[in-house]
Amino acid sequence: MIGREKQLQEVIQHIGSVLKSTSQENVIFITGEAGIGKSTFLKAVAEKASSLHNLPIIATAQCSTPLAGQNIGEAEALKPWVDAADAIVRHNSEELKNSEKVGFDFKEFFWETAPAWIELVPVVGSAIGAGVEIITTGYEHLTGNKKPEKSAGSAISQQQIFQQYINLLLKISESSPLVIILDDFHWADDSSCNLLFAAARQLQQKPIAFLIAYRPDDALTARDGEGHSILHIKNELERYDFSREIEVPKFSEENLDEFLREHYPNYTKDAIFEKWLTHEAGGNALFVIEFLKTLEEDNYIDRQSGVFTGNFDAVEIPKSAFAVIHERIRRLSDDAREFLQYASVEGETFTTAVLSQITELMPLKTLQRLRSIEDKHHIVKSIGKQVLYSNETTAYQFAHALIHRAMYETLEEEERELLHAAILDIVKKEWNEAKETGKNLTGMANRIAIHAEIAKDYLFAAEVLLKAAQERWKEYAETEAVQNIDSALSLLKKIENQSEHISFLKGELLYLRADIYQHKAQFEKAVDSFTEAELVFTEFHSESRMNDAIIKRSHVYSCQGKFEESVQLLQALLSAQLTLSQKATTLSYLGKDLSEYGNPKEGIEKLTEALRIAHEIGDFNVIAHALDGLGTAYFVSQEYDKSLSYFEQGLAVAKNEDNYLMQSIFLGNIPVVYKASGEDEKALKYYEAALLLFRKNGLIPSEVITLENIGVLFRDIGQYDKSILYLTEALEICHKSNDRYGKAFATHLIARTYYDAKKIDKAKEFAISAKLLANELNDSFTAKYNSPLLEKLENTI
């Protein structure tokens, strides 16, 4: 670690403090330019950290490197965290078998605590589970705390994915400290960045340290100059004092002298040479090493003494990093160069399985040739067996991104197209196998789609991206899913001869994008996409999917409070020929809309009919939706006994189906009814049960609303200190999760409690703060409740 000893010691000392829970800065950012030596530095950290007190588990993972100039890592949701989990589980297999190191069964723990991650971590096992329809409308209506500008569904669902992973880390850390090292985070996806923030926040004072390496320049210029998400996450972590940054320094002349003495056994200091080399290499460790190799191969420097024997002016000096790389490539044999050119088409990371097929070389010969190139030229390196497609195979990686790019760009355009087409034929078989097993679909998708696009197989590329988007949406990785959808739609536009199959594919892409927009509360975009999907399905004569798009669009109108438009759509749909399942679904949505639009009697009739049909055909989703709607309708009519009965039926059904998401909705609705009936003790009992469920499963928005409801309950019965306690906890959670709308409303509730407690100064302080927050966000919901309170306070002496 020449020239980095100070930084290495600083990192190790800080990791020790984190593992002893004496520092809250549990994220250490390791930064530096390409080739500066961050990966080598991280390896040194891993070696040193493994000998710390209590022998922590060291889990290392790397974000996916670009392929054909495109960053596939940004669309591979949570991949570095999946790899880190895999590394944790693989750690010390004998100790895991004997349960001496971690003290529990991983498979059982994943099943009970992190089921969404089972299929993603190869060591644990294959997935068990199915998609879940999330129904939140009734709960949001009853609590009154739902703000029209936001959508809880997606946030809750993705937070659940995050919470399961955080629970995994927390459980393991109870038996062994953890150091998680994630390299090349400037290529990470948005979900991985968000999970980093959530983990750092929730795992404070726990023996878990995160080392995150990235290139600041690449992060700043990413996404057409908008910057990578890691920059925003880093700023937030620094604001809460959750992180620190350590930069890997460049080589100085002093560092270079030490390096040369280690590299050449008989080296004698040559100040002129060191100054020249430091200047030309720019202090970049990789470029120093590559430059020395070039000089050795050109016989300009003695391999034992390090004495430079050439003439500086006569040496063709590389003027940039690219020039250094090209000089290295020039010294390859023609066969080796062609071999690596072929490899570069698969990506910066490539596999022996694919390379052996496109070069028509036996796998054993391929491995031998790559090992020879690695030993002689150090241009590629083996990273062992990997699962980049559906099967495990040995993978190699170019030593630097610039080497890969140089290799790829030396090919003619037609050569690239032919090679991408050949690779596509190979990986298509892997894709079909993966679809049957359900393994690694999202990991393969972007790689395959790039090959298909360059090979001009646009239809196949779009189909792959649709499948990837569907899988990512199951994980609630909205950003990555929308990226896949938009790419697929762009590809379909390139196809000259449009067919019914292409139209149907376009409809599915639009429908999925609309569903994501709805969950993200981007309602206008959702309406537009559902309308487009409906038109496509109508043109394709797919009545079933057309009806689905209409029902979904009506629900978006409901979320916007446009009940009249929603009712009109659903009533028109009922006059069409529908299957029993579609009819039940339509009646259920129509019944809820009618109840909320001021016609509870007719709404109850529709919901009752929907419930009857759903029971007849055994449709659990519609049964739950209808029971929730009936409970809501009777609550609106102030028939609390009937409302309670339907909500309790729904809770029983949800428990029977082991659907915790649906349980959370009914557990949130039931105490609202008890409170309205004046039975505060029973309401508190259900609120507390709901709070436990929300916390266990990481449903933070629901946790906040429940804390607020408990606070309001205690306020209403005059227990103001307890009320402030719960409301303050809700406010703190909103602050940590950066929920500004939630923070505004929680601040108002605290102001209202202080007002009722006759603590006027405190009430004014929080009411003014709530007003400022509401004005900043244009939050009409908070302003509606806070403005009357401010008027009262202004009139209070």
Side-chain angles (χ1 to χ4, degrees), residues 287-526:
F287 300 156
V288 167
I289 293 168
E290 292 300 315
F291 212 113
L292 288 173
K293 288 178 181 176
T294 300
L295 293 174
E296 289 174 6
E297 291 172 3
D298 282 345
N299 295 317
Y300 284 137
I301 193 169
D302 186 85
R303 296 173 185 263
Q304 292 298 314
S305 66
V307 174
F308 179 78
T309 56
N311 184 337
F312 290 131
D313 295 332
V315 176
E316 184 179 348
I317 307 297
K319 299 299 182 182
S320 66
F322 248 147
V324 174
I325 298 302
H326 278 297
E327 284 297 301
R328 294 288 300 121
I329 292 173
R330 182 173 62 82
R331 286 153 179 80
L332 292 169
S333 67
D334 290 343
D335 287 344
R337 187 182 303 110
E338 182 181 43
F339 198 61
L340 293 182
Q341 284 174 327
Y342 284 9
S344 72
V345 178
E346 188 182 356
E348 188 174 331
T349 301
F350 58 93
T351 63
T352 56
V354 171
L355 185 58
S356 64
Q357 291 187 64
I358 61 174
T359 57
E360 298 181 347
L361 196 66
M362 291 180 61
L364 181 59
K365 290 291 185 182
T366 301
L367 282 166
Q368 290 173 343
R369 183 173 291 187
L370 286 170
R371 187 167 63 249
S372 174
I373 294 172
E374 180 180 15
D375 292 342
K376 186 175 181 180
H377 298 285
H378 306 282
I379 280 181
V380 294
K381 58 182 178 181
S382 171
I383 56 174
K385 288 192 172 182
Q386 303 287 325
V387 183
L388 297 184
Y389 303 106
S390 62
N391 297 301
E392 190 175 59
T393 183
T394 301
Y396 271 76
Q397 200 170 64
F398 284 92
H400 194 273
L402 294 178
I403 296 175
H404 166 251
R405 193 185 309 173
M407 284 292 184
Y408 185 76
E409 291 181 355
T410 55
L411 289 165
E412 297 291 338
E413 184 176 353
E414 186 175 358
E415 286 181 299
R416 293 180 205 165
E417 291 178 2
L418 290 171
L419 286 167
H420 278 293
I423 292 173
L424 180 61
D425 288 339
I426 296 167
V427 296
K428 270 185 176 180
K429 299 173 185 176
E430 298 269 352
W431 176 254
N432 291 331
E433 184 177 334
K435 284 199 298 183
E436 292 180 4
T437 62
K439 293 181 180 178
N440 200 32
L441 286 170
T442 55
M444 296 173 61
N446 286 279
R447 290 178 174 274
I448 293 176
I450 289 170
H451 293 306
E453 180 180 0
I454 296 174
K456 294 185 170 60
D457 192 345
Y458 302 126
L459 178 58
F460 182 70
E463 290 173 338
V464 167
L465 290 170
L466 171 60
K467 184 63 177 176
Q470 290 169 338
E471 294 299 314
R472 289 192 171 93
W473 183 226
K474 290 178 183 178
E475 302 164 5
Y476 303 102
E478 311 103 12
T479 303
E480 296 80 11
V482 171
Q483 286 175 349
N484 287 152
I485 292 168
D486 290 344
S487 296
L489 288 170
S490 297
L491 289 169
L492 291 179
K493 292 178 182 178
K494 296 181 179 182
I495 301 175
E496 294 181 2
N497 300 319
Q498 297 289 312
S499 65
E500 287 189 349
H501 177 65
I502 293 172
S503 296
F504 185 75
L505 184 60
K506 179 181 178 182
E508 292 296 330
L509 287 163
L510 290 166
Y511 185 93
L512 180 59
R513 186 173 69 180
D515 191 42
I516 295 170
Y517 282 147
Q518 177 189 332
H519 281 76
K520 293 177 72 175
Q522 297 180 9
F523 297 126
E524 295 302 328
K525 287 184 177 181

Side-chain angles (χ1 to χ4, degrees), residues 739-759:
D739 180 359
R740 296 187 296 165
Y741 288 93
K743 187 161 57 175
F745 193 72
T747 302
H748 156 72
L749 289 176
I750 292 173
R752 170 67 192 278
T753 301
Y754 277 127
Y755 176 79
D756 288 358
K758 303 189 184 309
K759 296 182 178 181

Side-chain angles (χ1 to χ4, degrees), residues 15-27:
I15 289 174
S17 298
V18 173
L19 300 186
K20 293 176 184 177
S21 301
T22 58
S23 173
Q24 70 174 12
E25 294 175 327
N26 56 359
V27 179

